[in-house]
Amino acid sequence: CLIQNSKNSDSKSWTTYIKNILSGLAKERGLVPYASTEVYPHKEWLWDITWCRETNNNWRKFKEVVLICESEWWSLDEIISDFHKLMVGVAPYRLLITEYYSDSNKSWDKIVAECINAIVEYGVRENNYLIIGLPYYETDIKQFGLMYKALTY
């Protein structure tokens, strides 16, 4: 459903849609989402989306960060900048959601390669990442669909 809505939306709408989906998933799992949406009251906290485990949904009784997520739709530099935010965060799950173009500097292979280079260059080890790429062009939707790459370094 995210891919179907992508062509009819701007980047802010994409981000809001993703925040609502991920916030709903957090709530289903008994976690507290921080994502600055109209649906969920907790403001964004350091990352676009953060899932926290708290006692009785009370931030004063915070236990752990479970997931951190960044979503970025602009340039490759902005995507990699957001990936760096994930590298310095402490959470068992780190998620990057972006768009890709098959015929540009923002190709899927280029994005994944840049993320791997960032991990290797900064020596961040023993972490798990999931990168999700949403196709921008209609032809990419038909040919490639949603792309993803799980990285453990």
Side-chain angles (χ1 to χ4, degrees):
C1 60
L2 185 57
I3 291 174
Q4 293 167 339
N5 290 324
S6 65
K7 286 302 290 179
N8 302 320
S9 303
D10 59 17
S11 60
K12 184 177 180 181
S13 297
W14 277 39
T15 301
T16 300
Y17 189 68
I18 287 169
K19 285 179 176 183
N20 285 331
I21 289 171
L22 289 175
S23 294
L25 290 171
K27 295 296 277 186
E28 287 175 13
R29 287 157 178 74
L31 301 169
V32 178
Y34 288 82
S36 296
T37 70
E38 292 177 14
V39 179
Y40 299 97
H42 300 293
K43 299 273 187 234
E44 193 173 290
W45 186 64
L46 300 178
W47 299 275
D48 290 344
I49 302 145
T50 307
W51 290 4
C52 294
R53 188 174 323 279
E54 300 171 354
T55 302
N56 299 324
N57 291 334
N58 181 340
W59 66 269
R60 292 177 186 267
K61 296 184 179 180
F62 170 82
K63 290 185 176 185
E64 69 175 321
V65 172
V66 176
L67 174 137
I68 54 177
C69 174
E70 282 291 319
S71 58
E72 183 56 57
W73 315 114
W74 297 107
S75 69
L76 181 61
D77 283 344
E78 293 294 325
I79 293 167
I80 301 309
S81 174
D82 274 6
F83 188 75
H84 284 206
K85 292 182 199 177
L86 295 175
M87 289 192 323
V88 300
V90 178
Y93 301 102
R94 299 148 193 247
L95 173 62
L96 174 68
I97 303 174
T98 188
E99 66 184 358
Y100 70 89
Y101 302 91
S102 61
D103 61 351
S104 76
N105 188 40
K106 232 169 88 171
S107 72
W108 177 248
D109 292 338
K110 181 75 171 168
I111 291 168
V112 171
E114 289 287 332
C115 289
I116 291 171
N117 287 342
I119 292 168
V120 171
E121 181 178 333
Y122 292 106
V124 179
R125 299 284 189 239
E126 299 178 20
N127 292 304
N128 298 305
Y129 302 90
L130 178 61
I131 305 168
I132 296 177
L134 304 172
Y136 182 78
Y137 293 117
E138 191 72 31
T139 54
D140 290 343
I141 292 170
K142 291 176 183 169
Q143 185 175 359
F144 303 108
L146 182 129
M147 303 290 278
Y148 67 92
K149 179 74 176 175
L151 304 173
T152 300
Y153 278 86

